[in-house]
Amino acid sequence: MRAHAVKDYDSVLQALSEPGCPLCVFLKNVQSKLLQEGAVEEFMMLCNAHAWALAAVRHSATAAQIFRSLLERTSRREHRECSVCLRLDQEETLRVQELLASLGRRRVLEWIERKGVLCLPHGLRMREDASESARALIDRILERRRQELQEALGESMLEAGQRDTEHGGLLGRAAEYLVSQRGVALRSAQAVRHG
């Protein structure tokens, strides 16, 4: 992971203007802010992905201080779950509910019609708690994105057969749709929720 500019989001609705899934954009920002700016005492435990990410983005003296504090805590086994994963899970729950509650707003409906994008994991998570009418909107967003990606991937396969070209942007968009945005490490939080 590399350092990212942290935005001052208060709401997932502020991420609607960004490309990609607004939930992923919001969560990636939360993750970046915590890893890049979080105080030593905010880190009680780190998973593999977040430990390496922290080491990559923090000043070495601060990272060493955080890791030293973690080493002291692990000998007492006070905490078992990654602090960043837990925070992301809490934020994800709040922001899914926020976006669901906003589906009837004019601004959100315009976003849905113009360019509404959800990754498959967040779309399916929203669907779990959505009303019947909201499910129809979510399904429409997911289906439109799925069709767009299938068509673009089909064209890419035809072009690749004629010449070897790079389609990393397209492949990245397909990957982000299927598994959530690159750089958002939610693996541990999802294991906590489903395990």
Side-chain angles (χ1 to χ4, degrees), residues 1 4-7 9 11-33 50 84 87-89 91-99 111 116-126 141-142 145 172-187 190 193:
M1 181 176 179
H4 292 277
V6 176
K7 298 191 178 182
Y9 291 137
S11 165
V12 72
L13 301 182
Q14 293 170 296
L16 294 180
S17 61
E18 301 289 336
C21 173
L23 291 160
C24 288
V25 170
F26 189 92
L27 292 171
K28 185 174 182 180
N29 192 65
V30 168
Q31 176 179 266
S32 293
K33 183 173 185 165
H50 287 125
V84 180
R87 173 79 182 275
L88 288 173
D89 189 49
E91 283 292 334
E92 182 182 39
T93 299
L94 286 172
R95 301 315 165 177
V96 163
Q97 292 306 315
E98 178 187 8
L99 191 53
W111 168 76
V117 173
L118 290 170
C119 68
L120 188 58
H122 283 132
L124 295 176
R125 177 137 190 225
M126 284 181 67
I141 293 169
L142 292 174
R145 187 61 168 172
R173 288 192 307 276
E176 287 172 356
Y177 171 78
L178 292 169
V179 297
S180 82
Q181 189 173 38
R182 173 185 33 178
V184 179
L186 292 172
R187 175 193 48 77
Q190 291 170 345
R193 188 172 50 250

Side-chain angles (χ1 to χ4, degrees), residues 9-73:
Y9 291 137
D10 295 319
S11 165
V12 72
L13 301 182
Q14 293 170 296
L16 294 180
S17 61
E18 301 289 336
C21 173
L23 291 160
C24 288
V25 170
F26 189 92
L27 292 171
K28 185 174 182 180
N29 192 65
V30 168
Q31 176 179 266
S32 293
K33 183 173 185 165
L34 187 55
L35 289 171
Q36 292 171 198
E37 301 171 7
V40 172
E41 56 275 2
E42 290 183 78
F43 300 98
M44 300 298 174
M45 185 67 153
L46 289 174
C47 66
N48 184 44
H50 287 125
W52 284 103
L54 186 132
V57 298
R58 288 305 279 261
H59 184 272
S60 58
T62 305
Q65 187 179 8
I66 292 168
F67 288 154
R68 186 172 183 196
S69 174
L70 289 170
L71 288 169
E72 289 170 6
R73 283 189 191 100

Side-chain angles (χ1 to χ4, degrees), residues 112-178:
I112 290 170
E113 291 303 320
R114 260 191 3 261
K115 64 170 188 167
V117 173
L118 290 170
C119 68
L120 188 58
H122 283 132
L124 295 176
R125 177 137 190 225
M126 284 181 67
R127 246 185 138 277
E128 291 174 4
D129 298 329
S131 66
E132 188 87 17
S133 60
R135 275 191 209 120
L137 283 173
I138 294 164
D139 289 344
R140 200 166 81 212
I141 293 169
L142 292 174
E143 181 60 20
R144 181 180 61 214
R145 187 61 168 172
R146 186 190 65 76
Q147 286 179 353
E148 289 171 357
L149 290 168
Q150 278 189 310
E151 290 172 17
L153 288 167
E155 291 171 13
S156 172
M157 289 168 55
L158 287 174
E159 288 177 18
Q162 297 168 357
R163 64 188 188 286
D164 190 19
T165 59
E166 290 191 30
H167 297 280
L170 170 60
L171 297 176
R173 288 192 307 276
E176 287 172 356
Y177 171 78
L178 292 169

